[in-house]
Amino acid sequence: MSQPNGGDLLVALLRDLGVDTVFGVVSVHNLPLVEAVDRDLRFVPVRHEATAVNAADGHGRARGGIGCALTSTGTGAGNAAGSLIESLATGSRVLHVTGQIDSHHLGAGRGYIHETRDQLGMLRAVSAHAAAVPDAASAGRVLRDAADHLRGPAGGPASVEWPIDLQYAPQDPSALPAARPAPEPVRPAADALDAAADALAAARRPLVWAGGGATTAGPALAALLDKAGAGLLTSNSGRGAVPETDDRCIGNFATTPTGRALLADADLLLTVGSHFRSNETADWSLQLPAVHLQIDHDPAALGRSYPATHPLHGDAATTLTALHDRLTARPAADTDPAWAARIREARESVRAELRDRIGPQAAICDAIRAALPPEAVLARDVTVPASSWGNRLLTIHHPHTNVFPRGGGIGQGLGMGIGAALATPDTPTLVMAGDGGLAVHLGELLTLAQERPRLTLVVFNDGGYGVLRNMQDRYFDRRSGVDLATPDFAALAHATGLPYARIATEDDAAPVLTAATASDGPTLVEVDLTALGPMKTPFTPPVALPAR
């Protein structure tokens, strides 16, 4: 079309945001948007709307920016809802633009194709920001408001529904409203910082816990560790804030016996941007030191899960720097001379114990890390290998490489990995998935075959939902719903035009994964867990069950 329309307006916004790739499913109710993106940027036609959001999410995480997904109205927008919940739980920055029926049919309830009742209400429930385009003149402002939200400290998805007649309406992309100035980082009050710095200066055995909010504050966090003589625990989301090769980094091991013992002996804990999720605190049974400094940009998070003796409402990097500067000006207590050695010993022992428990899968963990450069993305779906050792033992060097569904839903890893791989085309990406989770969005193998990113998909095949199977075998008298039919992955790879390899022994791991990750395109690698052999200790999730 010669006259610019809503699609051109969207492209202008995306260019301003630095977004060059958009994921979605084309429809009669988003056609002008898809056409403009495909013409001027890159449109990736995934096979399901949930994957569109997951891929946009992974693309944004890997680049440290914003991702974009396009879906259709009604069922299409509904399909996206589950993945928007993931983005909301994570605070990842996804612009979700969905179609809507013609504006003059809205609310009539006449059964217009793709119509649904209160679509905007649904989007508000699963998005951090949601708005509708009410008329052609307002489209630019509605889009810009969504983008401004994405640039704020809280993140989370921003959804915009756009009636199809208003998408086709003439627009002037050059008149797109300018972005509002980014908000200044929040800084705690001076007296609160002074009191927290006094407590930190007096500590002899300090620990720091880095959550997802610490991942943008790595240098400031590392400097504070130096100044305070502290060891570092992390949540899964906080991994890579300081590279996990650092001797001070114990990592995502807080609920292990060693982690609990360290917390019991520490005389102060500083937490940065952690909401203390249930699965990382054993349903909040984890005991923290009595002196607890908590930094968070969200005031509602302070003291919500654990009491905070020194709540610090502020931006992570700004607050850590302010504490560091105050520590420099204060006489510090002598750190317990045995504390640094204790931290290093804990770091080594938790890893050695986990390697022993996972048995033959340790060879796969080692082969993955050896085959990939430090900057490679490790995308992990919810599956036994990811939950047991991928989320702890696979060394993470930078937060952008740590991609996984923080909300815990299965089936999202491949979509996230596709997005991340297209964001980092010069570096291999590896996805860890289970056969059960992969089956949720098996059609995305066709997206993988069509787009051909440099992605190695490692499918751990145990014939079903291994995590829940282990739970049922341990706590119940019978299995229910966990044993599933599994495809012939070699035939499936052949049918979709994907190279295939199989790991059945520990000796297979290094050569197979080295070759797969060195490829310029995708490879499907099946890990035959039956042939490989069981873990020494079956993994069960940290879920509390009522007494039976």
Side-chain angles (χ1 to χ4, degrees):
M1 296 183 181
S2 59
Q3 186 174 28
N5 61 26
D8 301 281
L9 187 67
L10 177 61
V11 166
L13 176 75
L14 294 176
R15 282 177 168 159
D16 185 63
L17 297 175
V19 176
D20 58 11
T21 303
V22 176
F23 304 86
V25 178
V26 67
S27 163
V28 295
H29 285 130
N30 65 16
L31 192 55
L33 308 181
V34 170
E35 188 275 333
V37 168
D38 191 51
R39 181 190 64 225
D40 294 333
L41 303 173
R42 180 177 185 177
F43 179 73
V44 178
V46 297
R47 273 47 177 186
H48 195 279
E49 291 86 356
T51 300
V53 175
N54 286 144
D57 190 340
H59 196 269
R61 292 193 208 187
R63 286 169 42 131
I66 293 171
C68 182
L70 294 180
T71 67
S72 182
T73 186
T75 304
N79 285 345
S83 297
L84 289 169
I85 291 172
E86 163 59 27
S87 176
L88 185 63
T90 302
S92 52
R93 291 164 166 79
V94 174
L95 176 62
H96 168 228
V97 183
T98 189
Q100 181 54 285
I101 66 172
D102 294 76
S103 57
H104 56 277
H105 289 302
L106 280 171
R110 296 159 65 187
Y112 198 91
I113 186 172
H114 296 176
E115 181 181 12
T116 189
R117 181 166 60 91
D118 193 17
Q119 176 174 283
L120 186 59
M122 176 189 71
L123 294 174
R124 284 176 174 149
V126 296
S127 304
H129 171 93
V133 175
D135 52 63
S138 304
R141 172 46 58 198
V142 172
L143 289 173
R144 177 59 76 184
D145 285 347
D148 285 343
H149 167 82
L150 292 170
R151 294 168 60 242
S159 292
V160 173
E161 69 167 15
W162 201 341
I164 184 61
D165 57 319
L166 303 181
Q167 293 177 40
Y168 280 114
Q171 293 285 350
D172 179 5
S174 66
L176 179 73
R180 287 192 291 267
E184 289 294 320
V186 176
R187 182 185 177 95
D191 58 346
L193 286 166
D194 288 339
D198 287 342
L200 194 53
R204 300 191 72 236
R205 297 180 304 282
L207 285 175
V208 175
W209 179 312
T215 56
T216 58
L221 176 59
L224 190 74
L225 292 176
D226 282 336
K227 183 63 65 176
L232 180 65
L233 292 164
T234 73
S235 68
N236 201 5
S237 301
R239 298 181 66 200
V242 171
E244 291 184 334
T245 51
D246 192 305
D247 283 346
R248 299 166 297 184
C249 182
I250 302 150
N252 183 25
F253 289 93
T255 56
T256 64
T258 298
R260 288 176 182 269
L262 269 178
L263 285 165
D265 290 344
D267 58 1
L268 177 144
L269 178 67
L270 167 63
T271 60
V272 187
S274 176
H275 289 183
F276 298 109
R277 297 176 187 272
S278 62
N279 60 324
E280 291 173 336
T281 59
D283 287 344
W284 303 284
S285 68
L286 194 67
Q287 297 297 307
L288 303 189
V291 182
H292 177 204
L293 286 60
Q294 185 179 7
I295 300 171
D296 207 287
H297 70 81
D298 179 6
L302 297 170
R304 180 168 55 197
S305 296
Y306 285 93
T309 53
H310 296 277
L312 298 169
H313 173 217
D315 167 76
T318 301
T319 306
L320 288 167
T321 299
L323 286 175
H324 176 275
D325 293 346
R326 281 167 167 76
L327 281 183
T328 302
R330 282 168 166 73
D334 291 331
T335 304
D336 184 338
W339 190 239
R342 175 85 181 279
I343 296 299
R344 289 193 297 272
E345 179 185 346
R347 167 188 166 78
E348 293 168 3
S349 67
V350 291
R351 285 164 172 77
E353 291 163 6
L354 180 53
R355 284 180 57 82
D356 181 66
R357 288 200 304 273
I358 64 177
Q361 293 188 26
I364 300 173
C365 179
D366 293 345
I368 288 174
R369 191 66 274 176
L372 293 173
E375 65 273 17
V377 170
L378 287 160
R380 306 179 303 283
D381 202 1
V382 178
T383 187
V384 169
S387 297
S388 58
W389 53 265
N391 291 346
R392 293 174 179 81
L393 204 56
L394 266 178
T395 307
I396 298 293
H397 296 266
H398 190 280
H400 293 174
T401 70
N402 183 33
V403 174
F404 68 98
R406 298 179 193 180
I410 67 170
Q412 303 179 86
L414 178 55
M416 289 180 171
I418 290 172
L422 294 177
T424 57
D426 297 327
T427 306
T429 291
L430 186 137
V431 173
M432 295 174 62
D435 58 297
L438 183 64
V440 175
H441 290 300
L442 204 60
E444 302 309 333
L445 291 178
L446 297 172
T447 305
L448 194 61
Q450 180 169 316
E451 300 299 321
R452 307 205 67 78
R454 193 176 174 189
L455 183 151
T456 299
L457 171 59
V458 183
V459 182
F460 292 85
N461 182 9
D462 63 359
Y465 298 137
V467 172
L468 291 163
R469 179 189 292 142
N470 288 345
M471 280 186 67
Q472 291 180 5
D473 287 350
R474 180 174 179 180
Y475 297 111
F476 295 83
D477 297 329
R478 62 191 300 274
R479 293 180 180 178
S480 303
V482 296
D483 296 316
L484 306 175
T486 299
D488 180 332
F489 282 104
L492 186 61
H494 177 75
T496 53
L498 294 171
Y500 168 85
R502 178 172 174 263
I503 295 174
T505 69
E506 294 175 65
D507 291 341
D508 293 339
V512 166
L513 290 168
T514 299
T517 56
S519 169
D520 289 334
T523 302
L524 192 160
V525 174
E526 177 186 4
V527 179
D528 186 335
L529 290 173
T530 300
L532 183 68
M535 292 181 174
K536 285 188 177 181
T537 306
F539 173 79
T540 55
V543 177
L545 297 176
R548 293 170 58 82

